[in-house]
Amino acid sequence: MKRSRLLSVFQYIFATLITMGTLSPFAWLFISSISFQTDLTKVPLRWIPKQITFSRYVDIFTNSNNEMAYTFRISMMNSFIVAIGTTLIALIIGGIAAHAFARYQFRFRQKLIYLFLFTYMIPSVVIVIPLYLLLDQAGMLDSKLTLILLDLTFVIPFVIWIMQSYFKLLSKEFYEAAAIDGCTRVQTLWLIVLPLARPGIVATGIFAFLLSWDEFFFSLLFTSSLDAKTVSVAIAEFSGKNAVDFGMVATGGVLACLPPLLIAFIFQKFLVQGMTAGGVKE
Amino acid sequence: MKKMSDKTYAILSITPAILVVFGIVLFPLIQTFLYSLKNMDLTSSTRGQFVGIHNYVNVLTDPNFWGSFGRTAYFSFVSLSLEIVLGLMIALLLNEKFIGVTFLRTIIILPWAVPTIVNGAMWKWIYHPEYGALNALLTQLHITSSYQSWLSSPWLAMNMVIIADVWKMTPFVVIFLLASLQLMNKSVYEAASVDGAGVFRRLIVLTIPFLIPTLLVLIVMRTMESFKVFDLIYAITQGGPANGTMVLTYQAFIKAFTNLQYSQGATISYLIATIIGLLTFVYVKTLKAEEGI
């Protein structure tokens, strides 16, 4: 058994390295957010600061006079509104379409599915030049509603692609039973399909939220003020400056990470299902 | 009232999605294509004139374009290779039973959840030439003697961006492969073990062939994404230093929104879309082939 002991030592060393590699950037981001600027700019660097401060967190939630803190607070709100709005609309519109794709046969069905997939795949850069000129003329730049509409162009195709594979798993007998009981199509969808597909819907919804929370390109180009600027744009802006409170950028980063991290933590099972749906076949 | 046919109902269900998605995307998609065929130079007297494939010839004979293409390919190839190799090793580890494996499985997904811009800003801070954690760590461990400017030479900067991408995206590969591994038939594995096949032999003969379909899907999927890389570059290097991280999407963005060369930006965008379109085609074929197995 000597060989397998060697292997298991190897296993533990590798596991420790992965754990450190995964967690240490997070740890450093968090330490930076609670350190004083003087400690962060000390050479040689002290890893554990002598004093810690949560004042940046307090500033972000309450202080409107600190420009960076205020920008982070408002842009976080914008990100929430855009991401939740996009998720809800995409789940409804995309879910209904996905159900039709999975349940019924009609002309161009397969072609349309691939067309949606292609729309999800094409790089945003291919549509933004005319879009910018158009939105500028229509006076629709710098608006959360515009961002939601633009995010929908890739979140709806994503929802359709994932959800139709969930809906296909539902047995035909459910529909037949519902039809015998005299359910209309809408009733069947609402009373039978929806509850049965709930895990799939939750997984898809989580993904849709993460996708729109992470969206950067449209927000960068089409927002300019705190009316619609998202937290990613705010962080990119501050992190691009040279003389800046690094701790404050780190604090913004920690807060912007929190919603997706919490989701990843709580809904891990759903996420793994959603991630591998359509990719890993049983 | 006559009952609606299935077909009509299906079409009604799909219409809102078609209206929202294609309603927004279609017009700009065509318009960009037209821009790529026209002279859109703001200072030119012949602005708006149809010039055929002139812009494409210009871009395809421009060494800057091929430079960006090469850098994008380098980024995709190196980051993907690292992610696949590391991801496979970690997935195999997490498929074993040992103390702490549940904990490791829980935390492994976390980097993937970090928003791309936060990831970029975080690594930029770690790479900081004066106050960065990387410099501090390496000098305090006596690996390097002096502080380095990680992001100020072109090739090094590209590799540092790749590290940031690998940190965030390897978990994605791990989750995929782990899901596949758990579907693997354990009894074949045990039989091979009884027959005297060692750990590495079992890996090469049984595990890797079993994972190949999933690996193919992953490779095509990740290639598509990494060919579009923009956010990470924007957050860490903004295409610099000396164009060292100037990838295709970033070049199209600079041409269109900084230099206001709409036709050139549009032309590059369409070339990227063509590459992605081809990859999408391969992706669909790969998925279909896998379903056939």
Side-chain angles (χ1 to χ4, degrees):
Chain A
M1 290 311 279
K2 205 182 157 203
R3 223 184 115 109
S4 95
R5 183 172 301 161
L6 184 74
L7 202 72
S8 104
V9 169
F10 226 73
Q11 237 171 26
Y12 280 105
I13 295 175
F14 189 41
T16 313
L17 283 176
I18 297 166
T19 312
M20 276 166 40
T22 304
L23 294 183
S24 50
F26 284 116
W28 183 237
L29 192 69
F30 182 68
I31 291 175
S32 302
S33 75
I34 56 168
S35 298
F36 286 98
Q37 180 86 346
T38 48
D39 279 333
L40 288 177
T41 53
K42 208 163 259 164
V43 180
L45 186 67
R46 290 179 54 95
W47 296 98
I48 309 296
K50 249 192 215 133
Q51 285 175 303
I52 58 167
T53 168
F54 285 92
S55 66
R56 297 193 189 91
Y57 288 93
V58 176
D59 276 348
I60 287 185
F61 286 108
T62 56
N63 189 348
S64 299
N65 297 321
N66 180 329
E67 193 217 332
M68 263 174 100
Y70 182 71
T71 306
F72 278 139
R73 184 191 341 156
I74 304 296
S75 61
M76 283 275 283
M77 284 306 296
N78 289 341
S79 282
F80 265 114
I81 293 168
V82 171
I84 290 172
T86 307
T87 307
L88 290 180
I89 299 172
L91 277 182
I92 295 169
I93 294 183
I96 291 172
H99 181 252
F101 276 125
R103 175 88 178 92
Y104 304 107
Q105 285 298 329
F106 47 92
R107 247 156 67 111
F108 305 123
R109 177 180 158 275
Q110 201 63 22
K111 289 214 169 66
L112 268 172
I113 293 183
Y114 286 133
L115 206 58
F116 275 112
L117 178 68
F118 181 70
T119 320
Y120 173 67
M121 299 298 184
I122 52 164
S124 313
V125 70
V126 117
I127 56 169
V128 290
I129 304 171
L131 214 49
Y132 185 88
L133 303 174
L134 209 71
L135 291 172
D136 191 21
Q137 267 175 5
M140 281 174 71
L141 286 174
D142 209 16
S143 123
K144 287 189 277 284
L145 190 67
T146 306
L147 270 190
I148 292 179
L149 280 173
L150 293 175
D151 286 0
L152 284 175
T153 62
F154 62 90
V155 180
I156 288 178
F158 175 81
V159 169
I160 291 178
W161 184 246
I162 300 294
M163 291 259 267
Q164 57 124 2
S165 69
Y166 278 112
F167 287 140
K168 269 189 190 154
L169 297 176
L170 291 183
S171 158
K172 279 211 169 66
E173 286 157 32
F174 287 118
Y175 293 103
E176 280 155 16
I180 290 167
D181 288 347
C183 280
T184 65
R185 286 194 196 85
V186 177
Q187 278 173 331
T188 313
L189 186 63
W190 185 253
L191 297 171
I192 314 282
V193 177
L194 200 67
L196 283 172
R198 190 172 289 151
I201 295 171
V202 173
T204 316
I206 289 167
F207 261 87
F209 179 86
L210 293 180
L211 267 179
S212 27
W213 186 264
D214 197 23
E215 201 286 320
F216 176 67
F217 198 52
F218 289 143
S219 326
L220 173 75
L221 290 174
F222 301 137
T223 67
S224 49
S225 77
L226 283 180
D227 283 347
K229 194 184 281 180
T230 59
V231 70
S232 285
V233 178
I235 288 174
E237 227 169 64
F238 288 124
S239 132
K241 287 178 183 159
N242 281 325
V244 74
D245 179 2
F246 300 111
M248 191 51 116
V249 178
T251 313
V254 170
L255 290 176
C257 279
L258 271 186
L261 280 182
L262 284 177
I263 286 175
F265 211 74
I266 299 168
F267 296 100
Q268 191 143 37
K269 274 231 172 67
F270 287 117
L271 267 181
V272 172
Q273 277 176 15
M275 240 163 151
T276 49
V280 178
K281 289 281 177 315
E282 294 190 33
Chain B
M1 202 177 87
K2 206 176 151 235
K3 200 163 173 271
M4 195 196 289
S5 77
D6 279 354
K7 223 167 101 185
T8 320
Y9 175 77
I11 288 167
L12 273 178
S13 301
I14 293 164
T15 307
I18 290 180
L19 283 181
V20 174
V21 175
F22 301 130
I24 297 175
V25 169
L26 203 61
F27 172 75
L29 200 62
I30 296 169
Q31 192 72 5
T32 306
F33 186 59
L34 294 178
Y35 284 176
S36 76
L37 299 175
K38 281 180 180 173
N39 172 9
M40 293 294 293
D41 194 343
L42 290 175
T43 54
S44 166
S45 56
T46 56
R47 180 159 188 252
Q49 208 174 50
F50 186 76
V51 294
I53 60 161
H54 176 76
N55 290 320
Y56 285 92
V57 173
N58 257 352
V59 167
L60 289 172
T61 52
D62 180 0
N64 283 328
F65 171 79
W66 291 107
S68 296
F69 182 85
R71 280 184 288 266
T72 314
Y74 178 83
F75 173 85
S76 295
F77 181 75
V78 177
S79 57
L80 187 63
S81 310
L82 290 174
E83 283 157 22
I84 295 282
V85 172
L86 257 178
L88 185 61
M89 283 163 63
I90 299 174
L92 288 170
L93 177 75
L94 294 187
N95 199 36
E96 300 290 316
K97 283 198 182 74
F98 58 91
I99 305 163
V101 70
T102 324
F103 170 75
L104 204 53
R105 277 189 198 166
T106 312
I107 61 159
I108 198 73
I109 201 176
L110 297 182
W112 172 79
V114 173
T116 314
I117 291 296
V118 177
N119 185 42
M122 179 177 84
W123 284 97
K124 191 181 175 188
W125 171 226
I126 291 173
Y127 297 152
H128 196 282
E130 293 157 73
Y131 316 126
L134 183 62
N135 272 326
L137 182 73
L138 291 179
T139 31
Q140 285 175 23
L141 291 175
H142 301 286
I143 295 172
T144 53
S145 55
S146 63
Y147 275 32
Q148 310 276 320
S149 273
W150 299 106
L151 300 176
S152 61
S153 79
W155 188 70
L156 186 60
M158 179 55 108
N159 292 321
M160 298 323 269
V161 173
I162 289 175
I163 292 177
D165 190 65
V166 170
W167 184 77
K168 179 171 150 73
M169 291 317 291
T170 303
F172 182 78
V173 176
V174 172
I175 299 296
F176 250 83
L177 292 177
L178 196 58
S180 279
L181 280 173
Q182 285 173 347
L183 296 175
M184 200 168 140
N185 191 344
K186 289 255 163 41
S187 54
V188 179
Y189 214 74
E190 278 154 18
S193 174
V194 171
D195 287 348
V199 177
F200 291 102
R201 188 157 166 75
R202 273 177 285 165
L203 178 69
I204 305 275
V205 177
L206 291 175
T207 314
I208 306 267
F210 177 80
L211 288 178
I212 278 183
T214 311
L215 282 170
L216 275 178
V217 172
L218 270 172
I219 289 171
V220 183
M221 213 157 90
R222 290 288 304 131
T223 312
M224 273 190 293
E225 270 175 40
S226 56
F227 243 89
K228 294 189 279 190
V229 63
F230 175 86
D231 302 3
L232 196 62
I233 303 278
Y234 187 92
I236 303 183
T237 56
Q238 306 233 322
N243 287 348
T245 55
M246 182 64 75
V247 289
L248 285 174
T249 312
Y250 208 87
Q251 198 184 29
F253 162 78
I254 294 283
K255 292 254 189 220
F257 290 95
T258 308
N259 306 351
L260 298 178
Q261 294 168 311
Y262 291 147
S263 355
Q264 296 219 28
T267 309
I268 298 174
S269 305
Y270 253 84
L271 290 169
I272 303 171
T274 311
I275 299 171
I276 302 289
L278 285 174
L279 288 168
T280 312
F281 186 71
V282 177
Y283 177 67
V284 170
K285 287 274 167 218
T286 321
L287 269 185
K288 273 193 175 164
E290 200 200 338
E291 261 168 73
I293 287 170

